[in-house]
Amino acid sequence: MSASAEILKASRPSPAWGAVLASLCLLLACAAPLGVNGYVLYLLTLTEIFTLVALGLNFLTGFAGQISLCHAAFFGVGAYATAILTQKAGVPYLLSLLAGALLTTAIGAVVAIPALRLKNIYLAIATLGFGVVLQKVIFEWRGLTGGGGGLALTAPRIAGYELGAIGLYYLTLILMTLGLFGAWNVSRGRTGRALLVIKDSELAAGSLGIHAPRYKVIAFAISAFYAAIAGGLFAYLVRYINPESFSVGLSISFLSMVVIGGLGSIGGSIVGAVFYVIVPELLRGIKDAPGLVFGLLLVLVMVFMPQGLWGMVRRLVGRA
């Protein structure tokens, strides 16, 4: 069985326990604001935001096999576009969020052009260059973005009502749920199957009538859309954005997040986001411990758990 087939198989939980687990998690997520303090609510919202990023990047890397090191830039473009449209142009927040995502989707399609010719480390370096360029543009366009001083944001409004911490949490939860449903359907539809074939062999894909360049562009565009939506939510979660917040280091963290969670799986995206947010919080009292643990676990996953933490959970549940 091919590697992509293994990933596809691993990403399909059995209907029984998968449906129960999803329903339980959604119920707990809906009830969470009733029993947690403000800081925990912030962490939960941040986890939902990073889940959106992981979903898009996992679709691109896990299914399409395309390595991207410019997702922090997509994340940042979505954040800045949403903030500028809302704060400076007076566009409603939800409309700004959508407009920023569509703009970033177009940029993602442009970034996909090198993917038509490059693979593996060469593609990673090319996307790294795009990420640096986009971050530099944000920094230098001071009249619009505020440059190094960044942008301070006020609370967004929806239908005239100010969106507080709880409101933003539920909005993020709704968008994350829609993102999960969309990713689940796309990955199991024609596009997902085509990308798995392309990942295994572009020659075989061509013989089956699959146009590889078109599907690569689609994968980059969808992935950029997810990152931009997450960026627009993140901007109003932290209420302050700065070009330094969207560095190459964040792109590397995003990629590590999906590898640790599990490439090519919806559950892996969630697990990776939870791990990325929670582990630093648990170890924040120990100097340099979060980075050390994250790096060590990445090595262990690559060597002993190629399907990530989600794959390990699935095996344990299967044995139980």
Side-chain angles (χ1 to χ4, degrees), residues 227-301:
I229 291 291
L233 294 166
F234 176 79
Y236 282 93
L237 174 66
V238 298
R239 303 281 183 88
Y240 173 79
I241 51 177
N242 182 290
E244 297 300 321
S245 302
F246 311 105
S247 64
V248 173
L250 184 60
S251 289
I252 295 173
S253 296
F254 285 159
L255 187 59
S256 302
M257 183 168 62
V258 298
V259 171
I260 289 175
L263 285 171
S265 65
I266 305 300
S269 301
I270 301 172
V271 171
V274 171
F275 182 87
Y276 182 77
V277 175
I278 299 303
V279 167
E281 287 302 314
L282 296 177
L283 302 175
R284 63 184 303 183
I286 307 174
K287 184 178 180 181
D288 298 328
L292 179 61
V293 171
F294 203 87
L296 287 175
L297 187 57
L298 180 60
V299 173
L300 292 174
V301 167

Side-chain angles (χ1 to χ4, degrees), residues 44 49 127 132 207-208 210 221 231 236 245 303:
L44 292 175
I49 290 171
T127 55
V132 172
S207 68
L208 294 174
I210 298 173
Y236 282 93
S245 302
V303 175

Side-chain angles (χ1 to χ4, degrees), residues 304-320:
F304 300 107
M305 295 179 288
Q307 293 181 358
L309 296 176
W310 181 246
M312 181 184 68
V313 171
R314 280 182 52 83
R315 287 194 297 273
L316 292 176
V317 172
R319 292 172 183 174

Side-chain angles (χ1 to χ4, degrees), residues 179-258:
L180 287 167
F181 181 75
W184 188 87
N185 278 280
V186 171
S187 64
R188 284 154 180 75
R190 177 181 176 85
T191 299
R193 293 194 299 268
L195 289 173
L196 286 173
V197 176
I198 293 170
K199 181 182 178 182
D200 272 345
S201 172
E202 291 191 25
L203 184 62
S207 68
L208 294 174
I210 298 173
H211 192 247
R214 182 180 67 182
Y215 280 103
K216 287 182 179 180
V217 172
I218 290 173
F220 261 98
I222 292 175
S223 189
F225 181 85
Y226 272 80
I229 291 291
L233 294 166
F234 176 79
Y236 282 93
L237 174 66
V238 298
R239 303 281 183 88
Y240 173 79
I241 51 177
N242 182 290
E244 297 300 321
S245 302
F246 311 105
S247 64
V248 173
L250 184 60
S251 289
I252 295 173
S253 296
F254 285 159
L255 187 59
S256 302
M257 183 168 62
V258 298

